Amino acid sequence: MIGLTLKHLRYFDALARHAHFGRAADACGISQPALSVQIKELEAMLGSPLVERGSRNIRLTSLGTAFLDRARRILVQVGELDDLVRSAMGPLAGQLRLGIIPTVAPYLLPQVMAALSVQMPSLELYPRESVTKSLITDLLDSRLDAAIVALPISEPALQEFALFKEDFVLVRPRSEADKPVPSPEKLQDMRLLLLEEGHCFRDQALSFCEVSTAKPRYLMEGSSLSTLVQMVGAGMGVTLIPEMALPLETRQAQVSIARFPPPSPARSIGMVWRKTNPLAEKLMEVGAIVRQVGDRQHRRVDAGPA
């Protein structure tokens, strides 16, 4: 089709994702009028509207839905062509779009970026922090190259690369430091502070506590692990956090830390990428560096006060 460019496809993909001209324009780094012009130009080439323009959001027309599916396939394939060229150029270089979940990012990402800058100096890391569902969607749609998440993901199109395993620890008010560590059954009857819905760590904590549907009067939510720890310090309840978060989140909080007896709750952290990605071998090298960083982090945590 004469005049159709990858730019048109990328802009339309952004508009479909955000369902709003302003948000899509921000994501693309252009003005809203410029995005609107590009979409109208695309519709003119197709001879039919792709979106229904509402006062707040847009909706795709039937043609828009069908066109989006094909456009995204093209964008994924173009991205893989770029990766194929990069894979043949020796050491990994250029941009690496890496997703990472919020319960890992603050505690691992700074050290990972430092290690990659030394071991892969030509690599430009572009991290994106978000919940697992969003990261997997972006990965499948080729908006990310890889993501660090809790395993398993069990997505047939993705390759999983195990990084490390870490335990969960119990955070209680400092006044409860001498009390016995509660069993999962006892935790059900305590005021449990958890992350908001959408975080996989929340689901893992509920699973350990054997709570399928949390009791409203016992469950309180926070937006981050830092918030949860501060709430515990204020005497509002107890929470579970991954051990890698201990040095950062508990150093100034009025809390006590307790480890569960075996089998203690734990999670596996790994890196995932599309199986079709030509950079797979080089992503394994990145994963090996992340694994080394994770191992160092755990040795430091184990050496510190429990």
Side-chain angles (χ1 to χ4, degrees), residues 151-303:
L151 299 181
I153 293 298
S154 302
E155 166 55 56
L158 297 181
Q159 177 69 45
E160 297 184 0
F161 181 87
L163 296 173
F164 52 84
K165 185 177 180 180
E166 65 169 346
D167 290 337
F168 300 168
V169 295
L170 178 67
V171 183
R172 300 183 288 185
R174 187 167 291 176
S175 59
E176 299 180 14
D178 295 330
K179 292 185 178 180
V181 178
S183 65
E185 294 77 14
K186 289 288 186 181
L187 283 173
Q188 294 180 29
D189 296 324
M190 302 175 73
R191 182 174 290 172
L192 191 60
L193 311 179
L194 295 176
L195 291 173
E196 299 167 330
E197 288 189 16
H199 292 269
C200 59
F201 187 78
R202 168 197 174 98
D203 299 331
Q204 293 160 347
L206 285 174
S207 176
F208 171 70
C209 299
E210 300 176 1
V211 178
S212 55
T213 303
K215 306 171 187 178
R217 73 188 186 100
Y218 292 134
L219 178 63
M220 299 181 68
E221 296 180 339
S223 59
S224 68
L225 295 180
S226 178
T227 299
L228 296 182
V229 172
Q230 293 303 317
M231 290 167 71
V232 171
M236 299 178 69
V238 302
T239 192
L240 277 65
I241 67 173
E243 62 180 351
M244 73 163 61
L246 283 175
L248 182 62
E249 302 300 354
T250 64
R251 60 187 176 186
Q252 294 181 328
Q254 300 297 310
V255 297
S256 63
I257 305 302
R259 295 185 180 272
F260 294 98
S264 57
R267 66 176 180 176
S268 295
I269 299 298
M271 196 163 121
V272 296
W273 56 81
R274 295 181 305 281
K275 290 179 178 178
T276 56
N277 194 327
L279 293 174
E281 288 189 13
K282 289 183 169 57
L283 290 173
M284 290 182 69
E285 295 175 12
V286 174
I289 293 172
V290 177
R291 180 186 287 161
Q292 292 171 1
V293 172
D295 288 343
R296 287 198 297 268
Q297 289 281 86
H298 287 123
R299 285 197 294 270
R300 280 197 290 267
V301 170
D302 291 341

